Amino acid sequence: MKTLEQKILNEGTVLKGNILKVDSFLNQQLDVDFLMQMGEEIKNLYSDTEITKILTIESSGIAIAVAAGAAMHLPVVFAKKSMSANVAGEVLTAGIHSYTHGNDYTAIVTKKYISKTDKILIVDDFLASGEAIRGLLEMVGQAGAEVAGITCAIEKGFQNGGDDLRKRGYRVESLAIVESMDESGIVFRK
Amino acid sequence: MKTLEQKILNEGTVLKGNILKVDSFLNQQLDVDFLMQMGEEIKNLYSDTEITKILTIESSGIAIAVAAGAAMHLPVVFAKKSMSANVAGEVLTAGIHSYTHGNDYTAIVTKKYISKTDKILIVDDFLASGEAIRGLLEMVGQAGAEVAGITCAIEKGFQNGGDDLRKRGYRVESLAIVESMDESGIVFRK
C-alpha cells in the first residue's frame, strides 16, 4: 500500500532495538480516516476469500481490526492479555512472549466466540517475530476453526515472522513490508 | 439510543458485583456494524460542538473511539496503561484505580498529541464510578486543552460517575444509561 509506505517515510522514526515508531498514526494517536483506508485495502486483498470473523489481540491490534471489520462488515474478536470480569466460561489460551515489553503473558479468548465453522482472518498492527500471531493461531487451532489469512499494517521483513508463516502455507498479506531500516532510512520490499 | 438498549436487553448479562457483561458486542467480540452506528450517534449528539480530537484509554475504549472518529473524521488518541517503546519524550500521566481489575495503574499519553488548542471529546465504553474519565480529564487539564464533552456507550446511572461529571458542568452524553439492574432485569433511565 503505497500511501502507507509514504506515511511511514513521512512520520515514522527508527529507534534502537529495531523499533519503528509510528505513534502519530497507528500506536498512540490513530489517524482514523487513514485507518479506514487500510481497512478497505484489507477487504480488497481478501476479496476472493470467504471470511466469517476477524481475530486480533489487545490493544494496538483493535483499531486496525475494527477498520477491517467495518470495511468487510464482519465481527471482530480480540484476545485479552489478562483475565477480567468480562471473560467467563470456557476459554482458549496461548502463552505469548512480548519483545516490545520484554515479558510473557497469556492471551485469552472466550471459547464461544470462535466456532469450528469460522473462517478467521487474523489482523494485527505489526508483524515482526510473529510471536503474537503464533499465539492467535494456537487459539484458532484449539477452536478447530480455519485460518483464512493473516494480515498486518507493517511487517518487519528482516525478522522471520511473516516469511516463516508463508513457508507454513498461510496467506500473509502485509500492507507494507520493511525490508531494512536504520537511522539513514527505511527500505520497503518490492 | 434505543437500539443499544434493546441490544443490552437481548445480549447483556448481569453478574455479581454490579457487572454488566456485554462481551458479545462490546467487550470481547465487537459487533463492528453496530459499533459504527454508535459512532454516528455520537457524531449527531455533538453536531453543534467544535471538536478537534477524541481521547480514550486502552483497551476497550479504542473500538468505540475509532467508530466515533470514523463518523466525525477526527483523530483518536488513546492513553496507555503502561510505558512501552512506543511512548517517548514528554508525557502526561494520571493515576487511576480500576474497579474491574481491582488494581491501580498510571495512564500515559505522549504530551505532543494533546495541545492547548485542542477541543477534546472523551470517549469510553463504560462510565460507572468515572475513575477512568477522571484520569483522562486530569491529562487534558495538564495539556491545557478544552474538554468539549464526555461520551460513553453504557453509563451505570446508579453509580455516581456520570451525574457527578454533569454537576461539575461537563456535557456528558451516554448512549444508554442503566438506572438499575439485577438478575430480574435491567431498567434504563428515561
Side-chain angles (χ1 to χ4, degrees), chain B residues 96-115:
Chain B
I96 296 179
H97 177 75
S98 167
Y99 291 95
T100 312
H101 293 89
N103 62 354
D104 295 299
Y105 61 90
T106 301
I108 305 162
V109 169
T110 304
K111 193 173 178 183
K112 67 177 171 184
Y113 293 128
I114 304 182
S115 77

Side-chain angles (χ1 to χ4, degrees), chain A residues 146-178:
Chain A
E146 188 183 311
V147 176
I150 299 164
T151 185
C152 70
I154 306 174
E155 177 179 340
K156 290 175 176 170
F158 54 89
Q159 293 190 244
N160 300 322
D163 290 331
D164 278 355
L165 290 165
R166 291 182 185 97
K167 279 180 201 155
R168 289 169 60 194
Y170 292 108
R171 179 166 171 192
V172 182
E173 304 275 8
S174 303
L175 303 187
I177 303 180
V178 177

